Amino acid sequence: MPDHSPSGTDTSRTGPLSHLTVLDLSRILAGPWTTQILADLGARVIKIESTSGDDTRRWGPPFLHNEAEQPSDAAYFTCCNRNKESVCVDFSNPEGAELIRTLARSADILVENFKVDGLKKYGLEYASLHKMNPRLVYCSITGFGQTGPYSARAGYDFLIQGMGGLMSITGQPETAEQPAEPLKTGVAIADEFTGMYAATSILAAIAHRDRTGEGQHIDCALFDCQVAMLANQGSNWLVGKRTPRPMGNNHPNLVPYRAYPVQDGHVIIACGNDRQFQALCDVLELSTIGTDPQFQTNANRVANRDQLESILEDRLSHYSRDQIIKALEAASVPCGPINTIPDVFDDPQVAAREMVVPMTRSDGSDIPTVAYPAKFSATPATYRSAPPRLGDHTRALLEHDLNLDARTIEALVQAGVVA
């Protein structure tokens, strides 16, 4: 069962990564998404923040409310900062930079998302830290990578979705009356996939280090990850030289595979093979369509898409959503509703899979968070501490990890080096 213990300094980490310590110098989403994955799997993650904190603490409304009903951090911040210690250090100050270097001497992983060479002036770039700790796995997350003509540019998810081709294939198809409007996805998908690629790459580098004793630098770019995630659309162009276009809810390679209007809304039908299509036709009492040579194979259905879709739309308009879903599920035809976000979190499957993790942090804020999705039979993800208040763990770390006495800590506070 998941561990839903309250906020506080983590002293009982378990999980497959419980032997690892991560210095998290990242902000916003891609980097924190990376480090939350590592943290959920047991790693100790020390989130280094400036005295003003991660920008997403202010990306609201909505905002959290603590026991005194005072607004605090934005909900956005809570989506990717669970299981971390917040330590405020101004490393633009030489004393602050030295504190980070001291922590890096014994760290296993460092994640940062500053501009290329942005940490060099503080002596916190890979080359400097590698000399001190050759076992360090150092992951740099940027918009466009450490090389190439765009390497100096800042990169935000929205920009990357556009430049990486995703927005050219998202949205309603263009018509003579209505030009296609480019659309981004409803979440920052380029950031999130970059975080997943970064976490996977870090674990691969740790496996290499375990065999050789050598750390390394990982150059992870949002743009590269978005290009990689074009998947079949990228392959369709590379192989067929046909420019993918927005198709609404249609699939470029499968028919029928879209959302259909029914009497009381829409239903998704996703036929991935000929057997499923035949079963759909049987449910809809369209057996002659199922045996028609124009539609018997997926390639033929793609070629005759408009004709087939017109027939299916007409027949499905006679059903309610729940009626057709029940009939198609009984026939093993993949189908489902289009849920709102409240619908999702009310879904019994979400409850059964324990996908909502309630947490409470040190200021009394109740923070529902979304669980790590994979289920491990032996080393499950744990939920040890809520997304922290700014600087929640600064003093404890300075005292216990760096062995600083109270007078030295107070001097650092008064000098604005830590908070």
Side-chain angles (χ1 to χ4, degrees):
M1 294 293 288
D3 176 3
H4 298 167
S5 59
S7 175
T9 301
D10 182 9
T11 58
S12 59
R13 295 190 317 279
T14 60
L17 306 184
S18 60
H19 60 300
L20 299 176
T21 296
V22 181
L23 282 184
D24 182 5
L25 274 64
S26 68
R27 305 139 298 162
I28 315 296
L29 185 56
W33 198 261
T34 304
T35 53
Q36 180 168 274
I37 291 171
L38 303 177
D40 284 351
L41 297 179
R44 182 188 183 190
V45 175
I46 302 168
K47 182 178 178 69
I48 305 297
E49 299 190 68
S50 69
T51 53
S52 59
D54 189 314
D55 291 347
T56 61
R57 289 184 183 273
R58 297 176 292 281
W59 282 15
F63 292 95
L64 299 174
H65 284 77
N66 56 28
E67 291 173 333
E69 289 303 311
Q70 298 281 329
S72 56
D73 293 321
Y76 195 117
F77 175 80
T78 70
C79 80
C80 55
N81 286 291
R82 174 177 59 214
N83 288 336
K84 301 180 185 180
E85 302 169 33
S86 173
V87 176
C88 280
V89 179
D90 176 10
F91 53 75
S92 66
N93 183 301
E95 288 184 274
E98 183 57 30
L99 292 175
I100 304 301
R101 283 192 290 274
T102 302
L103 290 170
R105 286 187 175 93
S106 59
D108 299 285
I109 299 160
L110 186 147
V111 178
E112 58 91 6
N113 63 346
F114 286 77
K115 290 182 180 179
V116 174
D117 290 333
L119 292 176
K120 189 172 184 178
K121 59 188 172 183
Y122 309 121
L124 298 175
E125 84 286 11
Y126 172 69
S128 293
L129 298 186
H130 175 71
K131 291 178 183 177
M132 297 166 36
N133 180 3
R135 291 175 56 82
L136 183 67
V137 171
Y138 188 113
C139 181
S140 296
I141 297 174
T142 57
F144 297 95
Q146 304 292 306
T147 59
Y150 303 159
S151 61
R153 295 187 185 182
Y156 281 85
D157 176 272
F158 189 10
L159 174 67
I160 298 301
Q161 287 194 38
M163 293 183 69
L166 184 60
M167 290 175 64
S168 77
I169 55 175
T170 303
Q172 292 302 317
E174 187 170 18
T175 66
E177 299 78 24
Q178 182 66 47
E181 179 184 358
L183 288 177
K184 67 179 180 64
T185 61
V187 294
I189 201 74
D191 273 337
E192 293 174 354
F193 278 127
T194 301
M196 295 176 70
Y197 269 115
T200 303
S201 302
I202 287 167
L203 296 179
I206 289 293
H208 171 78
R209 190 194 72 173
D210 289 346
R211 292 197 307 271
T212 67
E214 298 176 357
Q216 62 183 292
H217 185 219
I218 299 168
D219 172 5
C220 197
L222 271 70
F223 184 72
D224 297 350
C225 293
Q226 177 56 71
V227 172
M229 293 307 299
L230 290 174
N232 61 297
Q233 295 281 38
S235 294
N236 288 347
W237 161 250
L238 291 173
V239 174
K241 300 304 179 187
R242 295 182 180 179
T243 303
R245 302 291 186 190
M247 297 180 66
N249 287 315
N250 284 302
H251 193 289
N253 302 105
L254 291 172
V255 177
Y257 200 101
R258 53 166 281 209
Y260 292 89
V262 291
Q263 289 177 344
D264 54 351
H266 289 80
V267 63
I268 293 171
I269 297 174
C271 291
N273 57 51
D274 297 337
R275 185 206 61 76
Q276 291 170 351
F277 174 67
Q278 184 61 61
L280 169 66
C281 291
D282 291 345
V283 169
L284 297 179
E285 298 180 347
L286 293 171
S287 55
T288 58
I289 297 300
T291 57
D292 189 323
Q294 293 183 95
F295 310 125
Q296 273 190 308
T297 68
N298 180 70
N300 287 344
R301 292 193 292 274
V302 171
N304 297 289
R305 181 192 299 268
D306 292 343
Q307 183 181 349
L308 177 58
E309 295 286 30
S310 178
I311 294 168
L312 294 178
E313 284 185 8
D314 178 69
R315 185 57 59 95
L316 286 163
S317 69
H318 299 289
Y319 291 86
S320 70
R321 188 190 75 168
D322 291 347
Q323 179 186 15
I324 191 60
I325 287 175
K326 182 178 180 180
L328 292 177
E329 284 183 343
S332 298
V333 176
C335 64
I338 299 173
N339 288 330
T340 64
I341 303 302
D343 291 336
V344 170
F345 288 108
D346 283 340
D347 195 297
Q349 182 69 13
V350 169
R353 298 290 288 175
E354 297 185 298
M355 285 303 297
V356 177
V357 180
M359 308 189 83
T360 303
R361 73 175 179 183
S362 57
D363 64 354
S365 298
D366 291 325
I367 308 177
T369 65
V370 179
Y372 184 85
K375 315 299 181 186
F376 289 65
S377 64
T379 55
T382 57
Y383 311 102
R384 305 175 304 277
S385 59
R389 294 185 306 167
L390 180 60
D392 235 356
H393 306 89
T394 303
R395 288 179 181 267
L397 179 136
L398 295 176
E399 180 181 350
H400 298 297
D401 290 76
L402 301 183
N403 297 314
L404 301 183
D405 59 36
R407 180 177 296 179
T408 302
I409 293 172
E410 188 58 33
L412 291 171
V413 171
Q414 291 302 318
V417 177
V418 301

